[in-house]
Amino acid sequence: QVQLVESGGGLVQAGDSLRLSCAASGRTFSIYAMGWFRQAPGKEREFVASINWWTGGGTAYGDSVKGRFTISRDNAKNTVYLQMNSLKPEDTAVYYCAARVGPRADYAYWGQGTQVTVSS
């Protein structure tokens, strides 16, 4: 099992920056990749970003955040980060981190989520 705990959410103004953290514990050696997702009220869950856990490569981003968000990881701290710049009101959502244990595996492990609210 892998446990994930997000932190760093909050209320910011449009144009501000925020960094989310996701601390992993448990069987972290089994993690293949980590991802960030978000869900706004009344909307479906949306892919935000992903990264290969061991190499730090293979990053991918959702179209709506490309050029503004950056995913990174610190294996020594078992932590994945999401640096969010130039935030917009439409970025308001609950942000979740997730882990998968293989290149074709589903994201099986999820955190509890952290709220990000961007005011205009």
Side-chain angles (χ1 to χ4, degrees):
Q1 296 287 332
V2 175
Q3 294 79 42
L4 304 173
V5 178
E6 303 98 333
S7 61
L11 172 63
V12 296
Q13 293 185 333
D16 285 351
S17 298
L18 202 60
R19 189 177 79 160
L20 304 182
S21 300
C22 175
S25 61
R27 296 171 63 89
T28 58
F29 61 86
S30 67
I31 297 173
Y32 173 80
M34 296 283 288
W36 285 97
F37 295 78
R38 67 187 183 186
Q39 188 164 22
K43 295 187 177 181
E44 293 187 353
R45 186 172 62 198
E46 177 187 13
F47 168 76
V48 176
S50 64
I51 188 169
N52 181 285
W53 176 249
W54 294 108
T55 69
T59 55
Y61 296 92
D63 289 341
S64 61
V65 306
K66 282 181 182 177
R68 299 188 298 122
F69 290 12
T70 302
I71 189 171
S72 63
R73 97 277 182 258
D74 184 336
N75 284 6
K77 296 182 178 180
N78 285 335
T79 300
V80 172
Y81 303 98
L82 185 68
Q83 177 67 43
M84 305 185 294
N85 298 330
S86 302
L87 283 161
K88 305 174 181 180
E90 50 264 44
D91 293 319
T92 295
V94 177
Y95 284 71
Y96 300 91
C97 71
R100 58 190 177 115
V101 298
R104 297 178 182 83
D106 292 332
Y107 283 95
Y109 303 101
W110 293 82
Q112 83 288 349
T114 185
Q115 176 71 46
V116 172
T117 303
V118 184
S119 63
S120 58

